[in-house]
Amino acid sequence: MDQTVDSGATLEDWVRGYLLTYLPDTEATGRLVENLVARVPGWAAGHELTETQREELEETFGGESASLVEIVEEVLDEAPVEAPDGAARHVAEEWMQTKAPSHLAAVVGADDELPPVYAQELRKKVRQGLREAL
């Protein structure tokens, strides 16, 4: 049987602590917490996390943080065509202005480190966008 985490942390507490490792404590970060908590289906809000649940969160939300510029550079380096200098920065800034979810764009810019869960998601989107463009 699962043991309750000693800290008494709820899902919201854990996600807030996770995001505050990477982002400033703002109202917009609070909206990111709400957005991420909503993505964890079937977990009762306000209840203490079990050790197993905490481990699942660490596995799901783990990985490497990266800025959007770094992500675009990484994906462009994998492309079969060579991108001009500065292309990654231009693409990242354009995406932040036009396509980034407002709850994310309110907190970070193209050069800011993204929490791993967002970096992973954006890597997928950038790869998909590049495939569609080529």
Side-chain angles (χ1 to χ4, degrees):
M1 189 163 144
D2 292 339
Q3 297 296 318
T4 301
V5 176
D6 290 338
S7 68
T10 64
L11 175 60
E12 294 87 352
D13 295 335
W14 190 93
V15 171
R16 179 173 305 287
Y18 168 81
L19 287 178
L20 292 178
T21 301
Y22 302 95
L23 306 172
D25 189 4
T26 66
E27 250 183 74
T29 302
R31 286 190 297 278
L32 288 177
V33 170
E34 292 169 6
N35 180 274
L36 286 176
V37 166
R39 294 165 110 184
V40 182
W43 290 28
H47 288 62
E48 291 182 21
L49 294 174
T50 64
E51 183 65 28
T52 300
Q53 288 173 322
R54 190 179 61 73
E55 289 170 1
E56 288 176 23
L57 286 170
E58 289 171 359
E59 185 175 318
T60 301
F61 285 67
E64 288 185 41
S65 62
S67 71
L68 186 55
V69 171
E70 292 169 334
I71 291 167
V72 174
E73 285 173 348
E74 175 186 311
V75 172
L76 287 176
D77 286 347
E78 299 167 359
V81 295
E82 189 170 328
D85 288 343
R89 174 166 304 288
H90 175 74
V91 169
E93 289 172 350
E94 180 73 20
W95 188 85
M96 288 301 289
Q97 293 173 3
T98 61
K99 296 186 182 191
S102 60
H103 61 274
L104 184 61
V107 180
V108 297
D111 287 308
D112 295 325
E113 289 289 308
L114 295 164
V117 69
Y118 284 110
Q120 292 169 9
E121 185 176 312
L122 289 177
R123 277 186 184 91
K124 291 175 189 173
K125 288 183 179 186
V126 170
R127 282 191 176 100
Q128 178 183 355
L130 182 60
R131 279 193 298 273
E132 290 171 3
L134 295 177

